[in-house]
Amino acid sequence: MINANFRKLVLGRAVGNAGDSIYMIAMNWFILQLTNSALWIGIMNVATVLPGVLLFLFGDSIDRHSKRRLLVAVEFSQLVIVVILIGLVALHIKLPGIYVGLVFVAALFGSLAYPIQDTLVPLLVEPDQLVQAQADMSIAYKGTDYVFNALSGFLISLCSVLGVLIMDAATFVVTVATFRRIKLAEPRQQHTREKSLYLNQILVSKLSALISCCVY
């Protein structure tokens, strides 16, 4: 791996993606059990996809603030939401709208993590290492998605939805702790046109990928 700080970014992303995959599938399964309704499953899936369309609203804020702090904040926010979900499931609350709303907010924070990380990579590696760095990040993104999407059903049958959510909370604790250990000197504000264009390109690429997934 390229350097220690970049290794922490990749490790945190891999563990965070595992958490994303686990709780998304767990909550879909839970909503199906709770409502026995295909409509609610559809609403839940809209709640997980829609935040990706809204990323353009946050481009300027991402550009102007510390990437490391933002990354820690969005992962910690997901941890808080998962803890709330654990409490609701444990208390047998049977209001699907609450779960869908919380999943929407968690998915929004999760979606924000991707452009933040993509803008952080050039600050952690040398220009001639960017291609390798993006390849490593792609493995962290997609590899854990494939593995934990496949394992989530098995984990739910083995541990129950509540047990899986508790495991999920643990992954976000690890992710937050890992991202906090990244050492990076950042300017307080970044207003340069080049950085803004770079961020906009990232957001556009993410939106295009999202639309492609929805279409196909």
Side-chain angles (χ1 to χ4, degrees), residues 32-54:
L32 179 61
Q33 286 187 316
L34 182 64
T35 66
N36 196 29
S37 168
L39 175 61
W40 274 108
I41 293 296
I43 294 172
M44 176 66 79
N45 280 283
V46 170
T48 61
V49 172
L50 183 59
V53 180
L54 304 177

Side-chain angles (χ1 to χ4, degrees), residues 28-75:
N28 272 287
W29 180 261
F30 178 75
I31 287 294
L32 179 61
Q33 286 187 316
L34 182 64
T35 66
N36 196 29
S37 168
L39 175 61
W40 274 108
I41 293 296
I43 294 172
M44 176 66 79
N45 280 283
V46 170
T48 61
V49 172
L50 183 59
V53 180
L54 304 177
L55 287 179
F56 70 94
L57 298 174
F58 303 94
D60 185 61
S61 296
I62 294 173
D63 194 38
R64 289 187 292 107
H65 294 87
S66 166
K67 309 299 183 292
R68 187 186 70 85
R69 290 179 181 177
L70 285 175
L71 196 53
V72 171
V74 298
E75 296 296 336

Side-chain angles (χ1 to χ4, degrees), residues 67-103:
K67 309 299 183 292
R68 187 186 70 85
R69 290 179 181 177
L70 285 175
L71 196 53
V72 171
V74 298
E75 296 296 336
F76 181 77
S77 299
Q78 285 184 278
L79 170 61
V80 171
I81 293 171
V82 170
V83 170
I84 294 172
L85 288 171
I86 290 171
L88 293 173
V89 173
L91 293 172
H92 304 290
I93 303 299
K94 298 183 178 181
L95 298 173
I98 295 178
Y99 295 105
V100 170
L102 288 170
V103 167

